Amino acid sequence: MELYFLGTNAGVPTLQRNVTSIALRMLEERRSLWLFDCGEGTQHQILKSPLKLSKLDKIFITHMHGDHIFGLPGLLSSRGAQGVTSPVTIYGPPGIKTFVETTLHISQSRVPYNMEIIEHTGGVLFEDSSFQVESAKLDHRAESYGYRIVEKDLPGSLDLKRLEAFGLKPGPLYGKLKRGESVELEDGQWIHASDVLLTPKKGRVVTILGDTRPCEGVELLAKDADLLVHEATFMEDLSDLAHEYYHSTAKQAAEAAKRNGVQALFLTHFSSRYKDIEHLQPLLKEAQEVFEHTRLAEDFGLYPIHRRA
């Protein structure tokens, strides 16, 4: 699992940063790509990146402000123009279905693949044998949501010494034990997976928030996350302005990470008043004074999501 930031600016793009879009690349886990928000110009950012629209199968929209959705019709249209025929599912707040269908219809855009649009107001949105995605409402001027992506625990590795003690050699039975099945040896003895599997590998938790002020939804989604992506539109000296415009400061993001036992924090959605990476250093310092494991998200930055030891 890797995070790839396609845009980290708030409101409008600048020469240094595009507006919001984040990709979660899961090539090893499910050979797919999930996109979180799709601000204007996202498809141009993808062209400059190692990401492939052919791998995209899910899009999660946090809220209906233009800097988070204006790139969606063009991206969906271009995906079809590239000859991609695999289906895509879009999750978003009420209104996302009307927006997508209306813009594609009026522009006579052809989408030659199945597209499912699911409007939601929070809760568990998706679950399979490997992942669960949960959403909760945040506190913003528009109806805004965050997403919590939970990777389910994986079986532990096989204990080769225990297997040797049972006289079992590499072969098909190894695979059955790895899948949690029990196997019978030639002498009639049964070996259960629990006898030869090491501690399960803890699944990773990634939380990606939409625009928000500090609120209960942040606490719910961020709890014990391995990685939290939190907006930091302003520094703490502009906390009154942040509150007025329903945004957060870098310090507030760091406090949320520390309070909820997060392993790593990425700040994003920076105001245009902070023109480049140099001007963002005070935000980083402010956050790191509260929560050491904080980083600034950068456009075209690729960040692995590590498992806990």
Side-chain angles (χ1 to χ4, degrees), residues 274-283 296:
Y274 311 110
K275 298 186 182 300
D276 52 34
I277 195 67
E278 180 180 349
H279 290 91
L280 289 173
Q281 292 308 307
L283 279 85
L296 297 174

Side-chain angles (χ1 to χ4, degrees), residues 112-132:
Y113 51 83
N114 290 330
M115 182 173 63
E116 183 180 10
I117 304 175
I118 299 175
E119 296 187 339
H120 69 85
T121 54
V124 176
L125 307 179
F126 169 79
E127 185 169 10
D128 64 8
S129 60
S130 302
F131 285 89
Q132 181 189 82

Side-chain angles (χ1 to χ4, degrees), residues 188-216:
Q189 181 182 12
W190 282 88
I191 301 178
H192 304 290
S194 58
D195 297 329
V196 293
L197 285 178
L198 298 173
T199 303
K201 298 176 182 178
K202 183 68 175 175
R204 290 158 288 186
V205 177
V206 180
T207 298
I208 300 175
L209 302 179
D211 294 4
T212 188
R213 296 192 293 203
C215 66
E216 182 180 353

Side-chain angles (χ1 to χ4, degrees), residues 48-96:
K48 302 172 187 176
S49 79
L51 307 179
K52 304 295 182 183
L53 285 179
S54 59
K55 300 293 185 183
L56 177 64
D57 63 357
K58 294 188 184 299
I59 301 172
F60 298 87
I61 300 298
T62 62
H63 64 291
M64 297 297 295
H65 280 163
D67 57 323
H68 294 256
I69 64 170
F70 280 168
L72 193 53
L75 181 141
L76 294 171
S77 180
S78 293
R79 186 176 186 268
Q82 292 179 8
V84 181
T85 58
S86 56
V88 66
T89 305
I90 302 171
Y91 302 84
I96 189 63

